[in-house]
């Protein structure tokens, strides 16, 4: 089964056996270590701030106020900061506390918030194909994310097709073609400037005719022309529905982890444009402001399917709340 998870008919043939996994003793440590490294910008800010605030200091009103400010500046969000300080005020007020104790409390609270949204992308094998529309601003990593996910599902034995729906950027089309070659997945593309809605229509028809399990459709993300982009995406969705009125079956929003609080406006904008069903967070590789994911989870409650920490296909992994929380607060 794919690491991202997928559904199948009860009477369907068993999925092909997965490729042998790396040794259990090495893989988790390696991934956790890289995740910690990727979240270093966020965790170091918290760790240093907590160290400055709490070196056997009594938890008084001033300390709680400073802690709340620190959590907000770390992109964790106002609601999260208020809830953590309220919890500590109720349970530890007037007592000596250390930065490690605050970290443990933070990690526990972050895990509690993130656990409900840590959900794999479920591919329904009764749909031929299961259509996944991938949206996000240009530069967020949409095309690379599609390629990585395509490899995962292809390796799991599914028939996958890719559609280069960002027809205005020749580089995006070429990049998707490269991923198609790497993953041995067909790529449906048109000339630069072609009608994206028409391409999407053809892609669903061709993918259906082949009996594909999964179709990923890339899209444009030019937010400087918000009205035009909204109209283009709406037209694209209407075209897809002409072939399959239930599609797209998932709409993934890819977010660049380095943008911090700007991620909030991106989620708001794309939720208005299309029915976003889940998130993928990319570029957690050293300059990330990963705390924003906590605030996004609390505000929007959208499933977080995967996170990426590098350029290789195996660098996109399912989102795990506990590992993310511990990495974010700098816990070992």
């Amino acid at each position: 089964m794919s690491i991202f998870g997928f559904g199948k008919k009860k009477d369907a043939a068993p999925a092909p056996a997965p490729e042998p996994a790396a040794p259990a003793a090495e893989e988790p440590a390696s991934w956790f270590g890289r995740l910690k490294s990727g979240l270093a910008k966020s965790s170091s800010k918290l760790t240093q701030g907590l160290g400055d605030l709490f070196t056997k200091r009594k938890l008084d009103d001033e300390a709680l106020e400073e802690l709340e400010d620190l959590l907000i500046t770390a992109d964790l969000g106002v609601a999260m900061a208020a809830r953590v300080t309220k919890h500590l005020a109720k349970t530890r007020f007037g007592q000596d506390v250390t930065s490690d104790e605050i970290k443990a409390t933070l990690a526990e609270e972050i895990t509690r918030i993130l656990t409900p949204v840590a959900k794999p992308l479920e591919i329904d094998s009764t749909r031929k194909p299961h259509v996944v529309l991938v949206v996000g601003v240009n530069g967020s990593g949409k095309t690379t994310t599609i390629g990585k996910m395509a490899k995962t599902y292809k390796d799991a034995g599914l028939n996958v097709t890719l559609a280069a729906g960002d027809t205005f950027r020749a580089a995006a089309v070429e990049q998707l073609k490269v991923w198609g070659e790497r993953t041995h997945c067909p790529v449906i593309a048109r000339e630069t400037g072609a009608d994206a809605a028409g391409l999407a229509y053809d892609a669903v028809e061709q993918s259906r005719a082949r009996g594909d399990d999964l179709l990923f459709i890339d899209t444009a993300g030019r937010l400087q022309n918000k009205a035009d982009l909204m109209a283009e995406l709406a037209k694209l969705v209407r075209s897809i529905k002409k072939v399959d009125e239930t599609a797209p079956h998932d709409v993934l929003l890819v977010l660049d982890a380095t943008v911090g609080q700007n991620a909030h406006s991106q989620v708001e904008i794309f939720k208005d444009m299309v029915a976003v069903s889940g998130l993928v967070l990319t570029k957690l590789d050293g300059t990330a402001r990963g705390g924003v994911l906590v605030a996004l989870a609390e505000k929007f409650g959208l499933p977080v399917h995967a996170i990426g920490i590098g350029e290789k296909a195996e660098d996109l992994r399912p989102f795990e709340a506990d590992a993310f929380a511990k990495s974010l607060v700098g816990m070992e």
Side-chain angles (χ1 to χ4, degrees):
M1 178 175 286
S2 157
I3 59 171
F4 296 106
F6 56 91
K8 58 181 181 293
K9 291 182 181 179
K10 292 182 179 179
D11 59 349
E19 295 181 2
E26 296 179 7
E27 179 67 15
S30 173
W31 172 251
F32 183 69
R34 294 181 66 194
L35 181 59
K36 283 185 65 177
S37 175
L39 287 169
K41 182 174 181 179
S42 298
S43 64
S44 62
K45 183 187 296 185
L46 273 173
T47 300
Q48 182 178 341
L50 291 173
D52 293 342
L53 276 176
F54 298 103
T55 305
K56 275 297 180 181
R57 175 182 180 179
K58 287 192 182 298
L59 194 67
D60 55 17
D61 288 330
E62 182 181 359
L64 286 168
E65 185 174 342
E66 291 178 23
L67 174 61
E68 187 169 9
D69 289 343
L70 173 64
L71 299 182
I72 292 172
T73 59
D75 294 317
L76 289 169
V78 174
M80 169 70 176
R83 190 165 55 256
V84 168
T85 52
K86 182 178 179 181
H87 172 74
L88 289 169
K90 186 181 297 184
T91 59
R92 301 298 301 277
F93 191 81
Q95 300 178 33
D96 287 340
V97 292
T98 65
S99 61
D100 285 343
E101 290 172 324
I102 300 295
K103 284 183 186 179
T105 298
L106 269 176
E108 182 178 342
E109 185 64 17
I110 291 171
T111 299
R112 190 188 68 78
I113 292 170
L114 294 179
T115 296
V117 302
K119 298 176 180 178
L121 175 62
E122 297 289 344
I123 304 303
D124 185 354
S125 63
T126 65
R127 303 186 187 280
K128 298 289 185 178
H130 186 111
V131 180
V132 179
L133 190 67
V134 183
V135 301
V137 302
N138 288 341
S140 63
K142 294 191 305 295
T143 308
T144 300
T145 296
I146 290 171
K148 292 174 180 178
M149 296 184 83
K151 183 180 188 307
T152 296
Y153 288 111
K154 183 72 172 181
D155 289 350
L158 275 67
N159 294 320
V160 183
T161 288
L162 314 179
D166 189 356
T167 56
F168 290 92
R169 288 198 309 132
V173 175
E174 291 306 312
Q175 187 181 17
L176 198 65
K177 287 181 178 179
V178 169
W179 275 106
E181 292 174 1
R182 289 177 185 172
T183 59
H184 306 290
C185 294
V187 177
I188 299 171
R190 298 287 183 271
E191 67 279 0
T192 303
D195 178 43
L199 180 142
Y201 180 94
D202 290 344
V204 179
E205 274 206 323
Q206 292 178 35
S207 186
R208 171 183 278 185
R210 277 196 293 266
D212 285 338
D213 300 293
L214 183 57
L215 169 65
F216 286 104
I217 302 178
D218 198 2
T219 62
R222 304 178 304 281
L223 280 188
Q224 63 270 29
N225 300 312
K226 180 183 171 183
D228 291 344
L229 178 58
M230 184 177 293
E232 180 180 311
L233 286 175
K235 180 181 177 183
L236 191 148
V237 170
R238 288 196 301 271
S239 292
I240 292 172
K241 289 186 179 299
K242 289 178 181 177
V243 186
D244 182 349
E245 62 181 15
T246 68
H249 306 111
D250 283 286
V251 179
L252 301 189
L253 172 59
V254 178
L255 296 170
D256 178 342
T258 66
V259 302
Q261 291 300 311
N262 286 337
H264 285 266
S265 61
Q266 290 182 23
V267 175
E268 292 279 11
I269 289 169
F270 280 98
K271 274 174 59 68
D272 287 343
M273 292 183 185
V274 285
V276 174
S277 61
L279 305 176
V280 175
L281 196 69
T282 65
K283 304 185 183 180
L284 285 167
D285 52 2
T287 58
R289 298 169 65 182
V292 72
L293 185 56
V294 181
L296 292 175
E298 189 156 52
K299 182 175 181 180
F300 299 104
L302 287 168
V304 181
H305 298 309
I307 56 175
I309 61 167
E311 293 301 316
K312 297 179 181 178
E314 58 269 23
D315 291 337
L316 188 72
R317 295 293 185 90
F319 178 62
E320 298 178 13
D322 184 61
F324 187 89
K326 288 178 179 176
S327 298
L328 187 61
V329 303
M331 290 180 68
E332 296 298 330

